[in-house]
Amino acid sequence: ARPDLVAKYEKVKSDDPRHTKAEFAALVEGEDQAIARVLKFLDESGLADNTLVIFTSDNGGSGGGDRNAPLRLSKGTFYEGGLRVPMIARLPGVIRPGTVSDTMVNVVDFYPTFAEFAGAKLPE
């Protein structure tokens, strides 16, 4: 994590005892800034309209201090706190900004989705 962001979240941690992982928070903000740069590049280069961007996670929080509330438990369990994660998709002109869906998705679904989007034929 970037030292400036760790320092920022160390202060939050001291001001609010619910925040216990300054380094993790700093990593998340750094990741957010990096993704913003990628999206800005796609927009400015004219590639955005033909680029499907998907952001998701592999599992819920790891437990041991992570809070997945209101979801039950954490990574490594079959409860929602271990399986349910956010997913964000962007494809200008196809996915309207602000769209919310409660459709369940499994990352196994990505392969045929990407192949169809790219016009590729899947193997039999």
Side-chain angles (χ1 to χ4, degrees), residues 2-29:
R2 287 184 9 216
D4 62 315
L5 293 177
V6 173
K8 171 185 174 180
Y9 288 103
E10 284 292 343
K11 180 175 178 354
V12 170
K13 183 175 147 182
S14 65
D15 292 344
D16 186 341
R18 294 175 298 170
H19 299 283
T20 61
K21 296 185 175 186
E23 189 167 280
F24 180 74
L27 285 169
V28 170
E29 183 172 340

Side-chain angles (χ1 to χ4, degrees), residues 67-73 80-81 84:
R67 292 180 179 87
N68 295 317
L71 306 178
R72 184 176 178 188
L73 292 180
E80 282 191 321
R84 193 170 174 177

Side-chain angles (χ1 to χ4, degrees), residues 9-10 18-19 30 40 60 63 66 70 77-78 80 95 97 104 113:
Y9 288 103
E10 284 292 343
R18 294 175 298 170
H19 299 283
K40 182 179 178 184
D66 288 338
T77 71
F78 288 108
E80 282 191 321
I95 302 172
M104 291 183 22
T113 300

